[in-house]
Amino acid sequence: MKNYIVRVISDQANVIGLACVTTGLVNESCRLHGAYPTACAALGRALTGGALMASLLKMGQRLALKFEGNGPLKKIIVEADYEGNIRGFVAVPEVDLPPRNGKFDVAGAVGTEGVLTVIKDTGRKELYNGVVRLRTGEIAEDIAFYFAESEQIPTAVALGVYMEPSLEISAAGGFLVQSLPPSDENMIDRLIDNIRRLPSYTQMLRAGQAPESILNAIFSGISYVTLERHELCYLCTCSRERIERVLVSLGREELADMIAKQGRADVTCEFCRRIYPFNRQALEKILSEMHA
Ligand SMILES: [Zn+2]
């Protein structure tokens, strides 16, 4: 099944529902980063959460999620845009913890103390910046808590990554349902009731259910229309020019020091692990073009 997302809206009131499948892109990112199982589950949930949140934006807009907790994973960064391009990484991909209650111990890896920062680039001069404390470190609850606290929008989020004993991820995806004002209490009760009856998201995917049929179950008894369906993909937007800008941001002193001591630099893109080599000549050129 291709990676894709579906967006629906209720006919009455303003309930938005999103559901996606991200199995392929989560597999790809975990392979790129050499992520161990627990780190892979955490990254997969965060990438899926980013994909869901970005599709609430408008054309041309993008967002970044930054989970910084007191767990061994240290930090997860995800960037996603409305068009469905997603990339991300974890600071320490070698984290692997014993399962807790038969599930990945993502909270143990991320940590239960820390913050989630959401940065939105809506095309305005100023970036939107929302920060909340981590709720559980399980990712889905933290995103739901962010919407409740920072945007005052009641939101339900479920994210899942299912890994086979062979370490292949056979299912990944999630849903997000939110009620924009003015809200209808009866409809919210109905949605909560419908969501409570659902098996886990990966269980539904593994049973062959597509995002469309999962949304149908979530909206059972509520009429809705499908607004959109589009593909999601893991795409890194790094380039040599962007990496050069990172070198420039180090400052003249540090760059001159690097040239003197190492004579070269291999800069790795954190999002896709691609290595950009810079020899002495290239570094000296960057230095000479920098403002004093
Ligand atoms: Zn890259």
Side-chain angles (χ1 to χ4, degrees), residues 127-144:
L127 296 175
Y128 165 91
N129 204 323
V131 185
V132 291
R133 301 188 63 78
L134 291 179
R135 179 84 164 167
T136 60
E138 295 280 359
I139 311 291
E141 287 88 342
D142 303 309
I143 291 174

Side-chain angles (χ1 to χ4, degrees), residues 87 236-239 243 269-274 276:
R87 63 177 189 165
C236 191
T237 48
C238 68
S239 65
I243 300 289
C269 170
E270 288 181 299
F271 289 96
C272 70
R273 311 306 302 167
R274 187 173 160 188
Y276 290 87

